[in-house]
């Protein structure tokens, strides 16, 4: 029986069988057993006189055991139930001199090097349960709304974002550049986004979403970038930019509310974990709100919606930290916003999530719809506290001639994207969509400061271990 189920039972002298891993073994008597089903371990009380010492010595942190016993009310503090052990079987040993995960605080850096074992800590198991719940909530949200789940290809010939940050996929021998002899007969890559394919499906199924792995060979070693990350990309026919922004806000609020209601214990654990971490920091660097308060704040407050131009005016005239201006100056209309600017708007100026829209066309992708001013496109980014950009999206250019012009200007290969252009030839309609970076969402929900700690095996420059 799983511990999460056992903890819901009444202690009426019930027999239970539990399989799990020993978190700690105190005084040859108290085993804290965890099986991963919940943050809580259950106390199993051993009558040590029944066992010889050699046997008990094998029960260490990390040992896998199968325990039979009776569920009884606990006399100990902090727990309602415990198990009086009638039989213990050792399933798998863990040598205490070699097993690296001990019942003490390990640094995140240390645990990244033990990525195959870190899920056996309370912190990582909580993060991974929350991650799993968020993933199902994504499906729940869209399925309830009648969206269809589609799978875009992972191997592709196109650069959906047009920025050339792709990993090659090839079976050619090193040095051979004749791609006509390659596996697919042309150059192929790992996808950076499933959007273009999702658009084709939205223009047949109406409302669709993808949820899959995406890959970017950008050399950014930050706490918010991965080379392999998961993205959710809804795409909707007949949606304007305004509809798109409203959906993004509703979606994020649903995900957070659902998770807060259903992953309460894990989030409370993470909340306490972060409160302890915060205490180590100087006062001025501390978060004003706790993790739970931040989540509740986002659920209960409207996102501020402003145009790039309005944001530009705020940033140009502000003085972020008295002495020093931004590292990347905001002086000319049209400059791209960096994470420092995004976070200033969210954390200092508005103190709430912000949706920025109508960006200069020069800093956005070719497929975004050109506005009447001829200078901006119908783009939108959702910016979150502590994270910066969590969603990027737009209304798509549905007019064939305008799209072709943009592709020419931006040097995008029209021949290769012939099928994408055909969408605008046959039954073209206004349509919109966005991409939510799943790991950034997990980061916000769990409060983890480094994106490497919210995915089992992070892929970053110079690192693909495990
Ligand atoms: O803003 P991006 O590049 O947008 C697209 O890919 C569009 N095709 C989406 C669409 O309209 N269908 O990426 C979307 C989101 C970002 O807002 C960010 O949350 C996340 O994906 N993201 C990353 N997450 C982790 N590591 C990276 N290297 C990321 N790059 C983008
Ligand atoms: Mg973006």
């Amino acid at each position: 029986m799983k511990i999460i189920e056992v903890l819901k039972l009444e202690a009426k002298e019930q027999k239970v069988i539990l399989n799990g891993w020993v978190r700690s073994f105190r005084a040859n008597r108290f085993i804290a057993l965890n099986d991963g089903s919940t943050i809580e371990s259950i106390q199993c009380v051993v009558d040590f006189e029944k066992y010889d010492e050699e046997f008990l010595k094998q029960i260490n942190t990390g040992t896998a055991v199968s325990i039979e016993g009776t569920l009884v009310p606990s006399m100990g503090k902090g727990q309602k139930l415990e198990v009086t052990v009638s039989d213990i079987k050792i399933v798998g040993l863990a040598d205490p001199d070699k097993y690296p995960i001990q019942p003490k605080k390990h640094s995140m850096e240390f645990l990244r090097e033990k990525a195959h074992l870190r899920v056996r800590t309370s912190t990582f198991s909580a993060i991974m349960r929350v991650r799993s719940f968020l993933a199902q909530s994504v499906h729940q949200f869209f399925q309830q709304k009648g969206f269809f789940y589609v799978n875009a290809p992972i191997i592709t010939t196109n650069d959906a974002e047009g920025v050339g940050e792709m990993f090659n996929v090839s079976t050619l021998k090193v040095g051979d550049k004749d791609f006509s002899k390659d596996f697919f007969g042309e150059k192929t890559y790992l996808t950076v986004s499933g959007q273009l394919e999702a658009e084709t499906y939205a223009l047949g199924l109406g409302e669709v979403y993808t949820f899959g792995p995406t890959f970017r060979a950008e050399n950014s070693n930050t706490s918010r970038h991965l080379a392999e990350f998961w993205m959710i990309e809804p795409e909707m026919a007949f949606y304007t930019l305004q509809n798109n922004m409203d959906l993004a806000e509703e979606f994020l609020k649903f995900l957070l509310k659902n998770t807060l209601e259903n992953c309460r214990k894990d989030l409370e654990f993470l909340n306490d974990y972060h409160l302890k971490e915060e205490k180590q920091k100087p006062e001025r660097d501390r978060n004003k709100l706790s993790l739970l308060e931040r989540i509740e704040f986002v659920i209960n407050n409207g996102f501020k919606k402003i145009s790039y131009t309005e944001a530009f005016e705020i940033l140009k005239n502000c003085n972020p930290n008295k002495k020093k201006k931004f590292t990347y100056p905001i002086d000319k209309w049209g400059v791209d916003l960096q994470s420092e600017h995004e976070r200033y708007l969210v954390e200092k100026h508005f103190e709430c999530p912000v949706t920025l829209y109508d960006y200069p066309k020069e800093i956005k992708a070719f497929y975004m719809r050109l506005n009447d001013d001829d200078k901006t496109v119908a783009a939108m980014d959702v910016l979150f506290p502590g994270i910066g950009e969590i969603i990027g999206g737009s209304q798509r250019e549905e007019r064939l001639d305008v799209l072709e012009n943009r592709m020419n200007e931006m040097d995008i290969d029209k021949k290769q994207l012939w099928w994408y252009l055909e969408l605008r030839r046959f039954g073209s309609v206004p349509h919109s969509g966005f991409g939510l970076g799943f790991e950034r969402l997990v980061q916000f929900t769990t409060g983890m400061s480094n994106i490497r700690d919210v995915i089992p095996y992070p892929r970053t420059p110079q690192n693909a271990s495990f």
Side-chain angles (χ1 to χ4, degrees):
M1 212 173 177
K2 289 193 176 184
I3 292 175
I4 192 165
E5 299 304 329
V6 169
L7 291 174
K8 290 180 196 153
L9 298 174
E10 295 288 320
K12 288 191 191 131
E13 300 280 309
Q14 302 198 48
K15 288 256 175 269
V16 288
I17 299 179
L18 302 170
N19 300 317
W21 294 268
V22 174
R23 280 287 168 83
S24 65
F25 186 31
R26 268 191 307 122
N28 264 357
R29 194 163 169 76
F30 303 107
I31 295 177
L33 186 75
N34 190 280
D35 65 0
S37 64
T38 159
I39 191 77
E40 291 169 284
S41 298
I42 193 162
Q43 173 155 290
C44 301
V45 185
V46 181
D47 178 2
F48 54 85
E49 288 181 349
K50 267 175 57 186
Y51 301 91
D52 67 49
E53 207 163 315
E54 283 312 302
F55 178 81
L56 294 175
K57 265 194 191 153
Q58 299 181 333
I59 304 174
N60 293 298
T61 298
T63 303
V65 293
S66 184
I67 287 180
E68 256 183 75
T70 314
L71 194 63
V72 296
S74 175
M75 325 258 231
K77 268 198 290 189
Q79 68 220 1
K80 212 170 82 210
L81 302 168
E82 63 183 30
V83 173
T84 307
V85 176
S86 52
D87 188 36
I88 310 182
K89 287 192 186 66
I90 308 267
V91 182
L93 298 172
D95 183 341
D97 296 328
K98 297 195 178 125
Y99 184 58
I101 312 292
Q102 291 300 322
K104 61 169 193 179
K105 191 173 153 50
H106 296 293
S107 75
M108 286 293 144
E109 291 75 14
F110 171 82
L111 289 171
R112 266 173 233 147
E113 286 166 16
K114 307 279 179 257
H116 57 307
L117 298 172
R118 66 179 177 171
V119 74
R120 296 195 202 171
T121 64
S122 298
T123 313
F124 277 92
S125 65
I127 295 166
M128 289 305 147
R129 279 187 298 270
V130 170
R131 183 181 166 108
S132 167
F133 189 81
L134 280 168
Q136 90 79 29
S137 296
V138 166
H139 290 292
Q140 192 183 333
F141 178 81
F142 287 122
Q143 297 287 331
Q144 272 172 2
K145 284 191 167 291
F147 282 53
F148 298 102
Y149 177 42
V150 300
N151 301 109
I154 289 171
I155 299 174
T156 176
T157 51
N158 68 68
D159 177 359
E161 293 303 299
V163 285
E165 292 168 335
M166 294 182 297
F167 289 101
N168 295 327
V169 176
S170 174
T171 53
L172 286 181
K173 300 230 158 47
V174 180
D176 196 347
K177 294 239 152 61
D178 183 0
F179 292 101
S180 68
K181 286 198 267 159
D182 205 346
F183 190 90
F184 295 105
E186 58 184 314
K187 257 191 125 165
T188 46
Y189 313 92
L190 292 178
T191 185
V192 295
S193 155
Q195 178 195 320
L196 306 191
E197 293 87 354
E199 282 187 50
T200 65
Y201 266 63
L203 268 60
L205 292 174
E207 293 170 329
V208 300
Y209 67 104
T210 69
F211 186 175
T214 47
F215 307 85
R216 296 198 184 174
E218 52 188 331
N219 206 359
S220 8
N221 242 320
T222 78
S223 58
R224 301 169 314 114
H225 286 90
L226 291 166
E228 176 180 300
F229 63 99
W230 288 67
M231 196 171 13
I232 298 124
E233 296 187 276
E235 190 68 39
M236 298 76 65
F238 303 105
Y239 266 54
T240 61
L241 183 68
Q242 184 64 49
N243 301 145
N244 201 24
M245 293 195 287
D246 292 344
L247 183 75
E249 181 167 340
E250 186 190 341
F251 180 42
L252 288 168
K253 286 183 169 167
F254 172 85
L255 294 172
L256 293 173
K257 188 157 185 279
N258 204 25
T259 308
L260 193 59
E261 283 166 4
N262 290 282
C263 300
R264 194 82 214 181
K265 289 234 157 84
D266 285 323
L267 291 177
E268 277 168 4
F269 173 86
L270 290 166
N271 192 62
D272 290 348
Y273 167 85
H274 292 301
L275 287 180
K276 283 188 208 128
E277 294 284 297
E278 291 279 300
K279 286 211 183 103
Q280 314 286 324
K281 293 187 193 162
E283 188 128 7
R284 67 185 148 80
D285 294 342
R286 285 185 205 159
N287 253 312
K288 272 194 232 149
L289 301 181
S290 71
L291 173 65
L292 290 173
E293 287 166 342
R294 290 200 294 280
I295 295 174
E296 270 160 14
F297 184 88
V298 172
I299 295 170
N300 296 325
N301 289 280
F303 297 4
K304 178 79 189 168
K305 296 191 178 66
I306 59 161
S307 69
Y308 168 92
T309 304
E310 291 167 89
F312 170 77
E313 289 301 326
I314 294 169
L315 293 166
K316 195 178 68 175
N317 299 319
C318 79
N319 208 358
N321 40 23
K322 307 242 160 35
K323 278 181 249 127
K324 190 169 113 236
K325 277 268 186 188
F326 296 116
T327 314
Y328 295 88
I330 293 288
D331 40 14
K332 271 207 318 278
W333 187 93
V335 293
D336 205 354
L337 302 185
Q338 306 295 327
S339 146
E340 57 175 341
H341 310 125
E342 296 172 343
R343 293 185 58 176
Y344 176 82
L345 290 170
V346 173
E347 290 160 25
K348 299 262 160 62
H349 192 82
F350 291 112
E351 298 195 67
C352 73
V354 174
T355 308
L356 282 188
Y357 60 89
D358 288 348
Y359 280 76
K361 64 178 179 183
E362 280 77 15
I363 57 171
K364 288 289 181 187
F366 70 93
Y367 51 70
M368 298 190 178
R369 193 178 195 280
L370 190 63
N371 287 324
D372 292 343
D373 61 13
D374 220 23
K375 289 197 328 221
T376 60
V377 286
M380 62 108 170
D381 277 4
V382 180
L383 315 178
F384 254 37
I387 303 283
E389 180 190 336
I390 194 163
I391 278 182
S394 62
Q395 184 172 340
R396 322 304 190 188
E397 185 54 76
E398 84 282 13
R399 299 160 296 185
L400 181 63
D401 54 332
V402 185
L403 180 60
E404 284 184 329
N405 265 341
R406 288 294 294 143
M407 289 172 85
N408 290 340
E409 275 169 23
M410 295 175 77
D411 213 14
I412 306 281
D413 190 349
K414 288 199 311 249
K415 264 210 214 94
Q416 195 180 50
L417 288 177
W418 63 273
W419 51 275
Y420 187 70
L421 288 163
E422 280 210 342
L423 276 196
R424 279 75 185 165
R425 273 198 188 97
F426 310 121
S428 188
V429 300
H431 61 287
S432 302
F434 61 81
L436 167 66
F438 187 54
E439 282 72 23
R440 292 196 186 168
L441 171 73
V442 183
Q443 250 191 299
F444 180 77
T445 316
T446 59
M448 299 310 291
S449 57
N450 197 315
I451 200 164
R452 291 168 179 80
D453 299 328
V454 298
I455 186 166
Y457 297 106
R459 267 63 182 118
T460 50
Q462 301 299 308
N463 173 36
S465 305
F466 303 100

